[in-house]
Amino acid sequence: MPNLISKKIIFSTIIFLSYSYIAGQSEVAIVPDKIKVGDVAPLWVLPTEPDKQNLNKVEFLHNWAEKNGSNLLNPKINSNRHIVVMSFSASWCPPCKKELPILNNIYNDYTGKEVKFFIIDITEATRDSDKEMFKNAPKIKDFLNELGVDIPVLYDIRGKVKENYGLTGIPTLYVIDKYRIIRMMKIGWDDETKDEYVLDIKSLLNKLLKE
């Protein structure tokens, strides 16, 4: 029993240090306002649960995509590179409410293919604001359940990843190829161009899957 407890403590410590290291590393790697299509995507490691004290369950960008010439984080478990589609969102964001169901349809269309979809939630990162809309925002899981969205959620609890990616508004969507290059950025939402939104993403994903 003591050995099991020790192993859990060691594992949690490793994850915490990894979280701190990657957050710091990506913050230095690229100046936020210079992020653009063609750049190497900043690394991140994010929890899969909205709990600052529990970092046992985390996801790494380089579990799925990594620079050419570098290995994935754990190739013994996952040796196949994936395209990563990620959208920064929050439960207080009205345009996100329109974007996410459309994105969820795309997610379902690519089930079983080498494409990973994530929602990067910043609801908790903004909850300490003085604005009522931020303080009283519902939990993202409740928000997504109402919308019928089941894309996996990662929690940018400290707001470091949104800073590293230089967010100017949400929703902001990134498509990152298998070699960690940003191939698409879409900022905001426009009902009039939703068909174009779907076509652009699907066309790019189909192209990248063939590369």
Side-chain angles (χ1 to χ4, degrees):
M1 189 63 157
N3 287 338
L4 180 59
I5 294 172
S6 298
K7 287 180 181 178
K8 286 184 177 180
I9 291 172
I10 291 169
F11 179 76
S12 298
T13 302
I14 290 171
I15 292 298
F16 176 77
L17 292 174
S18 298
Y19 183 93
S20 302
Y21 171 72
I22 296 297
Q25 183 188 53
S26 59
E27 187 174 8
V28 173
I30 297 179
V31 178
D33 62 2
K34 300 297 184 182
I35 288 276
K36 61 186 182 300
V37 171
D39 284 339
V40 176
L43 287 173
W44 47 253
V45 50
L46 289 169
T48 60
E49 297 293 336
D51 183 356
K52 295 180 182 180
Q53 306 305 318
N54 180 12
L55 296 178
N56 286 343
K57 297 180 180 179
V58 295
E59 183 64 84
F60 295 80
L61 173 58
H62 54 320
N63 272 338
W64 308 105
E66 185 51 294
K67 292 185 291 185
N68 195 12
S70 298
N71 292 327
L72 295 176
L73 181 63
N74 198 339
K76 290 183 179 180
I77 294 176
N78 172 44
S79 59
N80 294 327
R81 294 171 182 264
H82 284 59
I83 303 156
V84 175
V85 180
M86 61 187 214
S87 182
F88 286 86
S89 191
S91 67
W92 46 258
C93 165
C96 300
K97 193 170 185 177
K98 296 180 178 181
E99 183 218 30
L100 289 173
I102 305 297
L103 185 61
N104 201 70
N105 290 338
I106 300 173
Y107 164 67
N108 289 329
D109 288 342
Y110 286 84
T111 299
K113 298 183 180 180
E114 291 183 342
V115 185
K116 296 295 292 186
F117 287 76
F118 299 108
I119 294 170
I120 311 295
D121 175 52
I122 65 167
T123 304
E124 302 309 317
T126 56
R127 195 175 291 283
D128 291 338
S129 168
D130 292 334
K131 293 185 178 181
E132 292 297 322
M133 66 178 289
F134 296 149
K135 287 195 296 185
N136 299 325
K139 298 289 187 182
I140 191 70
K141 281 294 181 69
D142 295 335
F143 174 72
L144 296 177
N145 286 339
E146 283 187 12
L147 297 176
V149 171
D150 54 3
I151 298 171
V153 180
L154 303 176
Y155 295 86
D156 188 15
I157 299 169
R158 299 168 181 170
K160 287 295 183 182
V161 178
K162 73 179 179 66
E163 291 177 10
N164 295 340
Y165 277 77
L167 254 65
T168 58
I170 57 171
T172 296
L173 176 135
Y174 292 89
V175 177
I176 300 168
D177 71 16
K178 297 179 180 183
Y179 298 97
R180 232 179 85 209
I181 303 298
I182 296 173
R183 301 292 289 268
M184 176 183 286
M185 291 174 56
K186 283 187 174 292
I187 303 172
W189 178 259
D190 185 347
D191 285 334
E192 294 184 0
T193 60
K194 65 180 180 181
D195 291 339
E196 181 182 335
Y197 169 94
V198 173
L199 181 60
D200 286 351
I201 294 173
K202 284 191 168 185
S203 296
L204 180 58
L205 292 180
N206 291 338
K207 175 185 175 183
L208 294 177
L209 284 169
K210 293 176 182 177
E211 291 182 354

